């Protein structure tokens, strides 16, 4: 992808099981990294693995200064993290209640976060997809939204 003209590559790096020495992104000419938590391991491969996406983002910033444009995840509805490890951008977890996002945004602005924050949203297209995404992403869903989707669960057509 990196070799294609006018294609901006954004490498998704999962922090769990990511050895400290495995960063070849710079050598490949990649400039954008999205740090993610990843799936937890029963036991890390060694003691030099990251235990959180924030630690991975901090390591990238410390090791490579401003070479990379670092994006991290934000989690509306959960306690605020301290300043996001020098991130250039925050993309939130998916949500359905705008008030949760606005509270999240206000909280980060109050603690001095100045980077852009993009809301993660999900169009509800099918009941099955809705159920899978809300369970997988541990999304907060209001009773009103859940009730409306439940009413449509036997309808196999696209909801949106």
């Amino acid at each position: 992808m990196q070799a294609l003209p006018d294609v901006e590559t954004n490498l998704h790096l999962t922090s769990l099981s990511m050895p400290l020495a495995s960063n070849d992104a710079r050598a490949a000419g990649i400039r954008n990294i999205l740090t993610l938590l990843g799936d937890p391991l029963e036991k890390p491969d060694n003691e030099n693995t990251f235990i959180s996406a924030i630690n991975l983002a901090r390591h990238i910033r410390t090791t490579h200064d401003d070479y990379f444009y670092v994006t991290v995840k934000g989690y509306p509805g959960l306690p605020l993290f301290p300043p996001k490890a020098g991130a250039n951008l925050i993309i939130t977890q998916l949500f359905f209640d705008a008030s949760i996002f606005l509270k999240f945004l206000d909280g980060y602005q109050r603690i001095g976060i100045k980077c852009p924050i993009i809301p993660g949203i999900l169009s509800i297209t099918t009941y099955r997809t809705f159920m899978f995404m809300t369970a997988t992403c541990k999304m907060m869903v209001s009773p009103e939204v859940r009730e409306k989707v439940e009413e449509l669960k036997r309808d196999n057509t696209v909801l949106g």
Side-chain angles (χ1 to χ4, degrees):
M1 292 300 296
Q2 195 62 16
L4 296 174
D6 300 322
V7 174
E8 196 70 35
T9 304
N10 190 0
L11 178 63
H12 291 56
L13 285 181
T14 57
S15 59
L16 296 177
S17 78
M18 178 64 65
L20 292 174
S22 69
N23 187 352
D24 295 327
R26 189 170 182 153
I30 293 171
R31 300 294 304 248
N32 302 300
I33 295 178
L34 170 60
T35 62
L36 301 167
L37 181 60
D39 297 324
L41 301 172
E42 288 181 24
K43 182 179 177 189
D45 296 336
N46 62 58
E47 70 271 358
N48 291 324
T49 59
F50 294 102
I51 58 169
S52 76
I54 292 297
N55 288 344
L56 176 57
R58 282 189 183 114
H59 171 76
I60 291 167
R61 188 59 70 220
T62 301
T63 305
H64 300 282
D65 197 32
D66 288 332
Y67 179 82
F68 291 108
Y69 189 90
V70 178
T71 302
V72 297
K73 291 287 283 184
Y75 296 91
L78 296 178
L80 297 176
F81 286 103
K84 298 290 245 176
N88 300 95
L89 175 67
I90 298 170
I91 299 175
T92 73
Q93 181 57 277
L94 306 170
F95 63 90
F96 292 102
D97 184 343
S99 68
I100 293 171
F101 174 72
L102 294 173
K103 183 177 178 183
F104 173 84
L105 188 62
D106 180 61
Y108 270 113
Q109 289 172 340
R110 277 188 280 114
I111 64 172
I113 299 291
K114 302 216 184 305
C115 70
I117 299 175
I118 297 175
I121 57 172
L122 174 70
S123 297
I124 302 172
T125 56
T126 66
Y127 177 79
R128 194 174 119 216
T129 301
F130 171 81
M131 295 305 291
F132 174 79
M133 289 302 293
T134 55
T136 302
C137 298
K138 297 175 179 54
M139 295 168 55
M140 294 178 10
V141 181
S142 71
E144 296 82 15
V145 170
R146 190 167 298 280
E147 183 179 310
K148 185 64 178 170
V149 172
E150 287 291 328
E151 290 173 10
L152 302 170
K153 73 179 176 183
R154 297 207 196 307
D155 186 352
N156 290 328
T157 61
V158 173
L159 302 177

